[in-house]
């Protein structure tokens, strides 16, 4: 069995055909009409191949293929005009209609490159467009002096303008190419496009360096002809579609650096060539200018790359945040519903048992049920706290505001703490100077006081004291909860109000680290303030100020 | 309660244990209870049996309690049926949504038998 040879890739076929056509070109009599029209044939054939590929393979418009075809078509039109002159007059006048076609070709190709740079999903990348303008303007500014000096000898304004327009066209192409190279991952198609444009620029530059030496059929034609072939071939590579639609690789790797250096060296070529050919005032000026061009290219290349990197990172971070947000919502719903439902049964049936609905219970049985009930309530409290903290994080704390006597709430909280405090051997006392009305959510103020008082009791050793003091003052309702407890280490104070934070000296005292986060959230939601003073081993005082009722 | 038929209460909850709990508490209070396990069943029983009160869980499969409430409110003869919603969704906005759907009362889970009795008595007295 002889393995069937794989079908050669269209790119290889096209390049080979182009190479054969080029070889044939140089076999024709130098400077002959045959050669002039063969030249047109290679260019025209390339444009036809490009258009055929675009239509037959339904290439997306994002590849810029119609604009590439237009740009190359304009160049070929210029070639046609030249060949017609060659046929009828034997030489091409200057300026001529050919110059118009050629000069229109540059912006068309540059626009095509920018279309390719544009990424899918973005309507029009204004930044990329501006970037290209910045590069072009920067480079043009730098080379303007040598250029204007160079062409000052030419007679009419239009002659000068057209002569200057060619290197400017080259620079526009160069700028667009630079943008393509810094913004796109290196692929076969991108590499072919870059090579095609660079060949074009190389041809122009060499030609500009010594116009008079050029004759049809000189080796210089290789650059332009090959440029046609290579540019058209790029659209035969399947990777042209990827180059236009996939997210580009943002790293500025060595390959792109070398392409950048290559294009920068071309800028050098353009300027030095012009300077030598037209005896510019100073070659040094051109060299320094080129150094500037190179610097600008690299600077912007890096700038674009880092900008793009940060844009990608930002987008990624945003997506991750959104995912986290969704996760949080799900967690809240689980906490709220899936934990509440079993708690409803547990607590409901315990209540029924304790009510004696299904038979009287003895003291020990009731005592055991009390333990179950107390722990269910603890669990419910944790569920509620988690829900509250989640709401705080979502900025969804709802306040049911009314006039609330904080002093009365404080007295209730102190009373409620008696059982636990007496077990712990801690005395709790409320000192009240009459009613103190705040404009607040009663339930939340109850939570706040419960948390502060039970915390104080929890962290105060046997024989200690907890004092709750409420006063109505000019600037608001003040609420101080002081204890003679273990205190808070200095280093822990800045994290004190963070969720799930537990101070390093809490030992085996139980807690989830939510209490003070909730206290802070309640105070903040009311537009109040909270301060803490503490000395390790001596005690802690939390001072809250709430807005007065009007 | 001995004279005449006992007051008929429709209770719907997809959680079997809570359904049994509510049923037990209400039957102990002298009511007759029609248990339903989802919204569709609850709606059917309400239309067939015409209870004096409905106690509906909010989060149920098929039809949720809010939707059942809306449909009952749109049914001739049931516009004024007292409806108590039971729910694990405790935010103020959820409560408001319940009342907007047409509920007479709103009981947050977990609730004690005592709270349930009070709500039921209040809803029936108001009807």
């Amino acid at each position: 069995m002889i393995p069937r040879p794989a079908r050669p890739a269209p790119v290889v076929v096209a390049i080979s055909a182009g190479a054969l056509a080029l070889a044939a070109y140089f076999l024709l009599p130098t400077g002959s009409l045959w050669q002039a029209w063969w030249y047109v044939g290679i260019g025209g054939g390339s444009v036809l191949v490009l258009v055929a590929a675009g239509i037959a393979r339904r290439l997306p418009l994002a590849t810029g293929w119609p604009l590439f075809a237009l740009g190359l078509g304009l160049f070929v039109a210029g070639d046609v005009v030249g060949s017609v002159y060659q046929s009828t007059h034997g030489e091409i006048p200057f300026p001529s209609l050919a110059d118009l076609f050629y000069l229109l070709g540059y912006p068309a190709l540059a626009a095509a490159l920018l279309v390719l740079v544009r990424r899918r999903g973005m309507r029009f990348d204004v930044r990329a467009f501006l970037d290209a303008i910045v590069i072009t303007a920067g480079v043009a500014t730098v080379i303007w002096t040598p250029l204007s000096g160079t062409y000052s000898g030419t007679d009419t304004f239009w002659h000068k303008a057209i002569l200057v327009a060619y290197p400017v066209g080259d620079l526009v192409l160069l700028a667009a190419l630079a943008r393509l190279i810094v913004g796109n991952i290196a692929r076969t198609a991108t590499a072919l496009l870059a090579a095609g444009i660079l060949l074009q620029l190389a041809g122009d530059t060499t030609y500009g360096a010594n116009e008079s030496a050029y004759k049809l059929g000189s080796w210089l034609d290789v650059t332009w002809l090959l440029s046609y072939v290579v540019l058209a071939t790029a659209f035969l590579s399947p990777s042209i579609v990827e180059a236009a639609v996939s997210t580009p690789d943002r790293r500025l790797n060595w390959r792109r650096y070398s392409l950048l250096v290559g294009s920068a060296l071309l800028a050098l070529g353009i300027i030095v060539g012009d300077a030598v050919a037209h005896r510019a005032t100073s070659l040094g000026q051109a060299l320094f200018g080129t150094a500037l061009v190179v610097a600008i290219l690299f600077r912007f290349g890096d700038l674009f790359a880092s900008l793009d990197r940060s844009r990608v990172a930002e987008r990624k971070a945003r997506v991750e945040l959104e995912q986290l947000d969704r996760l949080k919502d799900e967690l809240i719903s689980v906490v709220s519903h899936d934990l509440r439902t079993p708690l409803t049964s547990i607590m409901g049936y315990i209540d029924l048992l304790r009510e004696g609905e299904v038979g009287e219970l003895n003291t020990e049985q009731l005592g055991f049920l009390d333990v179950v009930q107390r722990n269910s309530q603890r669990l419910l409290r944790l569920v509620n706290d988690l829900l509250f903290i989640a709401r705080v994080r979502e900025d969804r704390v709802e306040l049911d505001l009314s006039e609330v006597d904080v002093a009365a709430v404080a007295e209730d909280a102190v009373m409620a703490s008696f059982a636990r405090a007496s077990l712990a051997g801690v005395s709790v006392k409320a000192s009240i100077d009459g009613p103190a009305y705040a404009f607040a959510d009663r339930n939340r103020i109850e939570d706040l006081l419960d948390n502060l008082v039970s915390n104080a009791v929890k962290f105060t050793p046997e024989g200690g004291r907890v004092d709750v003091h409420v006063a109505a003052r000019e600037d608001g309702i003040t609420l101080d909860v002081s204890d003679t407890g273990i205190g808070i280490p200095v280093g822990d104070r800045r994290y004190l109000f963070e969720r799930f934070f537990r101070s390093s000296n809490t030992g085996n005292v139980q807690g989830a680290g939510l209490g003070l986060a909730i206290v802070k959230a309640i105070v903040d939601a009311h537009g109040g303030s909270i301060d803490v003073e503490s000395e390790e081993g001596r005690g802690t005082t939390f001072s809250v100020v709430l807005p007065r009722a009007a | 309660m001995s004279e005449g038929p006992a007051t008929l209460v429709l209770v719907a909850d997809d959680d079997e244990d809570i359904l049994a709990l509510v049923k037990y508490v209400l039957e102990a209070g002298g009511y007759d209870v029609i248990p339903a396990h989802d919204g569709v069943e609850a709606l059917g029983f309400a239309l067939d049996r015409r209870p004096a009160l409905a106690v509906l869980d909010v989060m149920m499969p098929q039809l949720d309690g809010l939707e059942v409430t809306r449909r009952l409110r749109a049914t001739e003869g049931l516009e004024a049926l007292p409806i108590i919603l039971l729910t694990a969704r405790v935010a103020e906005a959820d409560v408001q949504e319940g009342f907007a759907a047409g509920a007479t009362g709103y009981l947050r889970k977990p609730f004690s038998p005592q709270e349930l009795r009070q709500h039921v008595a209040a809803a029936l007295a108001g009807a």
Side-chain angles (χ1 to χ4, degrees):
Chain A
M1 289 284 285
I2 302 159
R4 239 175 57 181
R7 242 176 89 195
V11 172
V12 178
V13 173
I15 294 280
S16 312
L20 285 175
L22 245 77
Y25 175 81
F26 287 104
L27 288 177
L28 292 168
T30 307
S32 67
L33 282 180
W34 282 106
Q35 211 177 23
W37 287 104
W38 189 245
Y39 189 110
V40 169
I42 293 178
S46 301
V47 175
L48 284 180
V49 166
L50 202 168
V51 172
I55 293 170
R57 304 173 63 200
R58 299 218 177 99
L59 289 181
L61 290 182
T63 59
W65 72 265
L67 273 173
F68 275 106
L70 176 68
L72 290 187
L74 283 164
F75 282 161
V76 173
D79 296 341
V80 169
V81 172
S83 296
V84 168
Y85 274 117
Q86 187 106 2
S87 309
T88 53
H89 296 75
E91 61 173 351
I92 307 167
F94 176 83
S96 76
L97 192 58
D99 292 305
L100 180 67
F101 284 128
Y102 286 138
L103 290 176
L104 284 175
Y106 290 103
L109 276 185
L113 285 169
L114 291 180
V115 165
L116 189 63
V117 166
R118 201 182 67 169
R119 265 159 286 148
R120 186 166 68 166
M122 297 175 85
R123 260 167 265 118
F124 175 67
D125 195 342
V126 184
R127 281 178 216 160
F129 186 67
L130 285 178
D131 293 345
I133 290 182
V134 168
I135 293 183
T136 315
V139 174
T141 310
V142 169
I143 67 157
W144 198 255
T145 320
L147 269 185
S148 55
T150 298
Y151 295 106
S152 57
T154 322
D155 35 17
T156 73
F157 170 78
W158 286 109
H159 280 209
K160 266 191 263 182
I162 291 169
L163 280 174
V164 171
Y166 277 100
V168 169
D170 285 335
L171 286 170
V172 171
L173 263 188
L174 181 62
L177 182 65
R179 182 69 186 96
L180 177 74
I181 291 168
V182 295
N184 241 292
I185 191 164
R187 291 193 181 82
T188 313
T190 342
L192 283 171
L193 285 177
I197 300 288
L198 288 176
L199 276 168
Q200 177 74 34
L201 298 183
D204 286 1
T205 310
T206 321
Y207 174 81
N210 199 356
E211 275 171 58
S212 49
Y214 173 78
K215 279 196 181 64
L216 186 73
S218 90
W219 66 270
L220 196 52
D221 289 338
V222 175
T223 58
W224 289 313
L225 289 170
L226 205 54
S227 165
Y228 283 133
V229 172
V230 167
L231 282 176
T233 305
F235 290 85
L236 296 175
S237 162
S239 60
I240 186 72
V241 180
E242 293 164 45
V245 299
S246 60
T247 310
D249 177 6
R250 293 303 174 194
R251 277 160 310 171
L252 205 63
N253 55 27
W254 66 268
R255 235 179 290 196
R256 268 184 271 160
Y257 262 121
S258 41
L259 276 168
L260 263 177
V261 170
S263 46
L265 286 178
L266 249 163
L268 176 85
I270 293 170
I271 295 167
V272 173
D274 282 338
V276 170
H278 301 96
R279 297 191 181 80
T281 41
S282 132
L283 188 65
Q285 197 178 16
L287 283 171
F288 283 121
T290 307
L292 262 174
V293 171
V294 174
I296 288 173
L297 277 174
F298 272 90
R299 187 68 197 84
F300 278 99
D302 268 339
L303 200 63
F304 297 151
S306 65
L307 258 180
D308 286 339
R309 259 199 307 274
S310 65
R311 266 179 239 156
V312 168
E314 195 188 334
R315 200 171 320 136
K316 207 175 128 196
R318 204 167 41 231
V319 167
E320 275 171 12
L321 267 178
E322 278 163 12
Q323 278 170 343
L324 270 178
D325 246 27
R326 263 198 301 283
L327 249 171
K328 196 173 64 192
D329 286 347
E330 280 164 29
L331 183 72
I332 291 166
S333 126
V334 167
V335 165
S336 175
H337 188 257
D338 294 5
L339 287 184
R340 248 166 227 286
T341 301
L343 269 174
T344 305
S345 285
I346 294 171
M347 297 176 82
Y349 284 103
I350 292 171
D351 280 336
L352 283 183
L353 284 175
R354 281 164 42 92
E355 282 175 8
E357 287 277 347
V358 283
E360 287 302 315
L361 302 178
N362 65 36
T363 321
E364 201 168 20
Q365 287 168 331
L366 276 175
F368 287 176
L369 276 184
D370 281 346
V371 174
V372 180
Q373 190 184 40
R374 203 168 54 237
N375 281 284
S376 311
Q377 271 160 357
R378 213 168 100 196
L379 195 54
L380 178 62
R381 179 161 204 104
L382 188 62
V383 168
N384 286 337
D385 284 356
L386 278 172
L387 201 59
F388 182 76
I389 285 294
R391 292 239 172 79
V392 169
R393 299 271 294 167
E394 283 183 349
D395 249 352
R396 273 178 45 203
V397 180
E398 297 158 338
L399 291 183
D400 184 9
L401 293 173
S402 64
E403 286 190 10
V404 178
D405 182 2
V406 179
V409 175
E411 279 183 315
D412 288 347
V414 167
M415 298 258 270
S417 72
F418 278 161
R420 178 181 288 268
S422 67
L423 268 177
V426 176
S427 75
V428 187
K429 193 165 106 295
S431 52
I432 309 293
D433 312 333
Y437 285 100
F439 195 56
D441 183 325
R442 168 173 287 277
N443 291 328
R444 297 291 177 229
I445 297 300
E446 283 173 6
D447 288 344
L448 181 148
L449 270 153
D450 279 348
N451 270 306
L452 284 180
V453 174
S454 67
N455 251 4
V457 172
K458 252 199 303 198
F459 295 112
T460 301
E462 196 169 352
R465 224 174 53 244
V466 173
D467 284 303
V468 181
H469 180 247
V470 180
R473 287 220 298 255
E474 276 294 301
D475 52 340
I477 305 301
T478 63
L479 161 67
D480 298 313
V481 179
S482 322
D483 64 50
T484 58
I486 57 175
I488 302 156
V490 180
D492 287 349
R493 279 176 215 168
R494 50 189 293 212
Y495 306 111
L496 205 53
F497 297 110
E498 303 270 321
R499 303 171 305 148
F500 306 112
F501 175 76
R502 304 206 64 218
S503 196
S504 51
N505 62 345
T506 52
N508 54 4
V509 179
Q510 283 179 341
L514 289 174
L516 284 177
I518 288 173
V519 165
K520 177 88 165 81
I522 292 172
V523 170
D524 286 347
H526 282 87
S529 66
I530 183 163
D531 273 320
V532 59
E533 259 179 61
S534 184
E535 200 179 331
E536 227 179 320
R538 301 290 298 270
T540 305
T541 299
F542 283 96
S543 307
V544 176
V545 181
L546 293 168
R548 286 173 66 111
Chain B
M1 286 282 172
S2 55
E3 63 264 28
T7 311
L8 200 55
V9 180
L10 169 68
V11 178
D13 198 313
D14 59 321
D15 186 291
E16 202 63 55
D17 296 332
I18 296 177
L19 183 61
L21 176 70
V22 175
K23 185 166 178 286
Y24 183 89
V25 171
L26 293 185
E27 281 177 350
Y31 302 101
D32 263 358
V33 173
I34 319 164
H37 299 83
D38 58 59
V40 175
E41 207 176 75
L43 197 60
F45 286 157
L47 297 178
D48 291 349
R49 309 278 300 273
R50 301 278 160 164
L53 168 74
V55 180
L56 308 173
D57 180 31
V58 169
M59 283 163 113
M60 284 189 292
Q62 318 242 29
L63 276 186
D64 69 17
L66 294 173
E67 191 51 36
V68 174
T69 303
R70 278 185 211 109
R71 295 203 190 177
L72 289 177
R73 284 284 172 262
T75 306
E76 209 185 319
L78 292 175
E79 298 95 340
L81 171 73
I83 298 173
I84 296 172
L85 290 177
L86 299 180
T87 187
R89 285 159 59 179
V90 295
E92 196 54 40
D94 293 319
V95 179
Q96 292 310 322
E97 199 187 347
F99 283 121
T104 339
Y106 204 97
L107 200 50
R108 291 176 171 95
K109 288 179 183 177
F111 50 85
S112 68
Q114 188 55 30
E115 283 173 303
L116 178 62
R117 287 185 204 108
Q118 283 166 358
H119 267 76
V120 167
L124 284 171

